Amino acid sequence: MVQTSWTTTGVFTGPGGVRTDEAGIVTGELTVHTTWNGSQADVGIQYSGTSEWFTLTGSPVPCPSQQASRNLHQEVVEAVRAGGGITALPQHDRL
């Protein structure tokens, strides 16, 4: 099984934060982690410096390639910085 991941630390949320399945809206300094398993990408959010991970609402998302999953990760990081209660982005936004 192919598996690749990306992690970006120290991401400060914009107004409205980011929506997670487990904790609802989270705000503040976060770590964003994306794992691609060959067909889909899982996006996790964590308060920086803690051990508990939350699932970004809408994750996992279909992701056809490693590059597409890398693009998704960067789009999520940028969306977290923008805020607005973002969720995982639709596949067509990364192709």
Side-chain angles (χ1 to χ4, degrees):
M1 173 191 272
V2 174
Q3 190 167 351
T4 306
S5 64
W6 294 271
T7 303
T8 303
T9 60
V11 181
F12 288 90
T13 61
V18 58
R19 182 173 303 281
T20 67
D21 290 349
E22 301 85 358
I25 298 289
V26 296
T27 60
E29 183 179 356
L30 305 176
T31 297
V32 178
H33 181 78
T34 303
T35 303
W36 179 67
N37 70 6
S39 64
Q40 67 182 16
D42 293 294
V43 182
I45 303 293
Q46 176 187 62
Y47 284 108
S48 294
T50 67
S51 60
E52 185 173 8
W53 286 96
F54 305 113
T55 304
L56 178 66
T57 298
S59 178
V61 294
C63 212
S65 69
Q66 182 177 9
Q67 185 58 49
S69 65
R70 176 65 182 107
N71 294 346
L72 170 68
H73 176 80
Q74 190 57 43
E75 288 179 13
V76 169
V77 168
E78 291 168 11
V80 168
R81 288 180 178 138
I86 70 106
T87 61
L89 305 171
Q91 180 180 3
H92 64 82
D93 288 347
R94 317 184 276 298
L95 302 175

